[in-house]
């Protein structure tokens, strides 16, 4: 089984840092898959970043990130930090809140896209068959905007500034990762 942690609503480029009590090891996990789904039906799965909020044409978008968590199997997790770096500012705002939600179903990474938020990638691309979209996980239909837990696992009030890493932590994020390390079903 592929272990992945998907974070709906996380933005841009991310890494997950976990520490284990038993070995006092710090594990830095980089994203293994990401997709931007947009209300207009367009997607971006191969771009250079992950967009959330409104894009330059006013289209609502959400980002989904996956991490391979197989190295955490059976570990006791002491802390979890999702680190994000903003490389473009949101549409109509210099700073936007980002919520991290647990996914309820598995999803496919979009196979189309390119560029980034400053090079046209924020507008999205027509999805290929099997790509996650605003109305489909790529495997089955889901509620508009994705099938995720309504309660945020963690929130980032605003980012630290362009090109400055911002850390997102919280008891909910820790509980999510610990449950996956304990063998719970992981859809992200």
């Amino acid at each position: 089984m592929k272990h992945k942690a998907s974070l709906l609503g996380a933005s841009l480029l991310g890494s997950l840092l976990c520490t284990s009590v038993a070995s006092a090891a710090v594990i830095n996990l980089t994203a293994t898959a990401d997709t931007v789904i947009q209300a207009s039906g367009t997607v971006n799965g191969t771009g250079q970043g992950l967009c959330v909020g409104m894009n330059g044409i006013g289209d609502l978008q959400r980002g989904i990130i996956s991490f391979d968590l197989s190295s955490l199997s059976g570990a006791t997790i002491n802390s979890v930090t999702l680190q994000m770096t903003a490389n473009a500012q949101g549409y109509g705002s210099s700073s936007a809140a980002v919520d991290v939600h647990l996914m309820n179903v598995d999803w496919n990474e979009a196979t189309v896209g390119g560029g980034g938020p400053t090079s046209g990638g924020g507008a999205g691309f027509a999805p290929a068959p099997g790509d996650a979209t605003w109305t489909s996980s790529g495997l089955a239909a889901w509620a508009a905007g994705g099938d995720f837990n309504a309660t945020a696992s963690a929130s980032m009030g605003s980012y630290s500034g362009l090109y400055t890493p911002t850390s997102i932590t919280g008891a909910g994020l820790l509980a999510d990762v610990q449950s996956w390390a304990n063998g719970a079903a992981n859809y992200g």
Side-chain angles (χ1 to χ4, degrees):
M1 175 177 149
K2 180 180 174 187
H3 297 276
K4 65 181 181 181
S6 308
L7 304 170
L8 182 69
S11 66
L12 310 172
L13 180 63
S15 64
L16 189 66
L17 304 168
C18 301
T19 59
S20 169
V21 171
S23 64
V26 175
I27 301 169
N28 185 0
L29 304 170
T30 56
T32 56
D34 62 67
T35 293
V36 176
I37 58 173
Q38 299 174 327
S40 66
T42 58
V43 299
N44 192 341
T46 62
Q48 299 174 346
L50 194 64
C51 305
V52 299
M54 293 286 190
N55 65 12
I57 59 173
D59 193 12
L60 184 59
Q61 50 194 0
R62 292 195 172 125
I64 310 171
I65 301 176
S66 295
F67 297 91
D68 180 353
L69 299 178
S70 58
S71 63
L72 301 179
S73 181
T76 300
I77 309 301
N78 185 19
S79 66
V80 175
T81 301
L82 175 65
Q83 190 171 60
M84 309 303 286
T85 302
N87 62 7
Q89 143 179 335
Y91 177 69
S93 171
S94 61
S95 180
V98 174
D99 291 332
V100 178
H101 294 264
L102 191 69
M103 296 298 292
N104 293 326
V105 298
D106 203 4
W107 55 275
N108 285 339
E109 181 178 27
T111 57
V112 299
T118 60
S119 62
F125 300 85
D131 286 351
T133 68
W134 196 257
T135 58
S136 172
S137 68
L139 303 167
W142 62 13
D147 188 352
F148 57 93
N149 191 323
T151 303
S153 298
S155 295
M156 175 183 74
S158 63
Y159 58 84
S160 300
L162 293 179
Y163 309 107
T164 303
T166 299
S167 295
I168 304 170
T169 61
L173 193 57
L174 174 61
D176 292 345
V177 175
Q178 184 62 67
S179 71
W180 294 324
N182 291 345
N186 173 11
Y187 303 116

